[in-house]
Amino acid sequence: MNYLYLLINPVKFFKQVAEKEKVSLLIPILIIAIIGCLTGVIAGNVVGSMDLPADQMGMVKTISIVTGIISGIISVAVAMVVKAAIFNLVLKKMGGAGTFKTAVYVVGLSYFPKIFQNNLNIFFQKPIDMTKVYEMDWVAFLGGIFSIFNIWQLVLTIIGLAVVYGVSYKKTAIPVIGLEVVAAGLSLGVSLISLNSMAGLSTTAIS
């Protein structure tokens, strides 16, 4: 299977996937590992931009990198499996012919644009402004949702699932985009609640 087609002709690539009797999850697992490592680097850079004592910086940065890698791998893996389970269930109800493992494979491969996104985040990462840590960064939030990499991931997911399950693109887009909207709403809610709680604790501590 030529993985170059995933970049230049995803329809052709996923048609090859649909013709295979078995698929290996090795590439999706590799994608998860790479994203996790990049997340760790980003976490380390965040700590590195903080004004910490030199004798504490090394230890705190190491802990942040390791924690970032572990949490990155776990969060992406869980998201991948949950998404695949939901898509498999919905598309089966629509008359699709795929399997859960195939759904995991497609969803996993569709995460590879995040590798490019994380690399860009590393090179263009801004230091944290501690004076605005309790404020909602709407630009970053909306940019994450409507970024070209997120849209690329959604398009690949829709194409892959539609081809593999034998369901129209329009029907496949319903659960894929619908789940993305729900996830964005939950993320926004959690972020606002967390920021309000942190701001409240800070006010209480000062008073």
Side-chain angles (χ1 to χ4, degrees), residues 96-118:
T99 64
F100 172 67
K101 184 177 180 180
T102 306
V104 172
Y105 180 77
V106 172
V107 173
L109 288 182
S110 300
Y111 264 84
F112 91 87
K114 296 292 185 183
I115 295 175
F116 296 104
Q117 182 177 13
N118 282 2

Side-chain angles (χ1 to χ4, degrees), residues 114-163:
K114 296 292 185 183
I115 295 175
F116 296 104
Q117 182 177 13
N118 282 2
N119 273 301
L120 284 177
N121 289 341
I122 290 171
F123 286 107
F124 297 100
Q125 193 169 353
K126 295 179 180 179
I128 292 180
D129 186 350
M130 298 304 293
T131 62
K132 297 181 179 179
V133 72
Y134 302 124
E135 298 177 7
M136 180 66 183
D137 190 344
W138 289 101
V139 174
F141 178 77
L142 294 175
I145 294 175
F146 297 106
S147 72
I148 186 172
F149 301 104
N150 203 41
I151 294 172
W152 186 6
Q153 179 186 1
L154 290 176
V155 170
L156 284 177
T157 305
I158 292 170
I159 292 174
L161 291 174
V163 171

Side-chain angles (χ1 to χ4, degrees), residues 7-201:
L7 282 169
I8 62 177
N9 193 342
V11 174
K12 184 173 183 178
F13 174 81
F14 286 114
K15 282 183 178 179
Q16 292 178 346
V17 174
E19 292 170 357
K20 291 177 67 70
E21 293 184 4
K22 294 182 180 180
V23 292
S24 170
L25 297 181
L26 179 61
I27 299 300
I29 290 172
L30 180 61
I31 291 173
I32 292 174
I34 294 173
I35 293 174
C37 291
L38 293 173
T39 302
V41 173
I42 292 172
N45 288 346
V46 169
V47 172
S49 67
M50 294 180 178
D51 188 17
L52 295 175
D55 59 335
Q56 297 179 13
M57 177 62 76
M59 181 182 68
V60 175
K61 191 171 183 178
T62 300
I63 293 173
S64 298
I65 292 174
V66 173
T67 303
I69 292 173
I70 295 173
S71 62
I73 290 174
I74 292 175
S75 61
V76 173
V78 170
M80 197 179 289
V81 172
V82 170
K83 284 182 179 181
I86 293 173
F87 296 153
N88 181 61
L89 178 64
V90 174
L91 293 176
K92 286 273 192 175
K93 294 289 185 181
M94 292 180 175
T99 64
F100 172 67
K101 184 177 180 180
T102 306
V104 172
Y105 180 77
V106 172
V107 173
L109 288 182
S110 300
Y111 264 84
F112 91 87
K114 296 292 185 183
I115 295 175
F116 296 104
Q117 182 177 13
N118 282 2
N119 273 301
L120 284 177
N121 289 341
I122 290 171
F123 286 107
F124 297 100
Q125 193 169 353
K126 295 179 180 179
I128 292 180
D129 186 350
M130 298 304 293
T131 62
K132 297 181 179 179
V133 72
Y134 302 124
E135 298 177 7
M136 180 66 183
D137 190 344
W138 289 101
V139 174
F141 178 77
L142 294 175
I145 294 175
F146 297 106
S147 72
I148 186 172
F149 301 104
N150 203 41
I151 294 172
W152 186 6
Q153 179 186 1
L154 290 176
V155 170
L156 284 177
T157 305
I158 292 170
I159 292 174
L161 291 174
V163 171
V164 170
Y165 278 80
V167 179
S168 70
Y169 293 127
K170 188 178 293 185
K171 286 184 177 180
T172 306
I174 294 173
V176 174
I177 296 177
L179 185 59
E180 190 69 16
V181 171
V182 171
L186 289 173
S187 177
L188 175 60
V190 171
S191 296
L192 291 175
I193 292 171
S194 299
L195 289 172
N196 288 334
S197 299
M198 290 169 65
L201 289 172

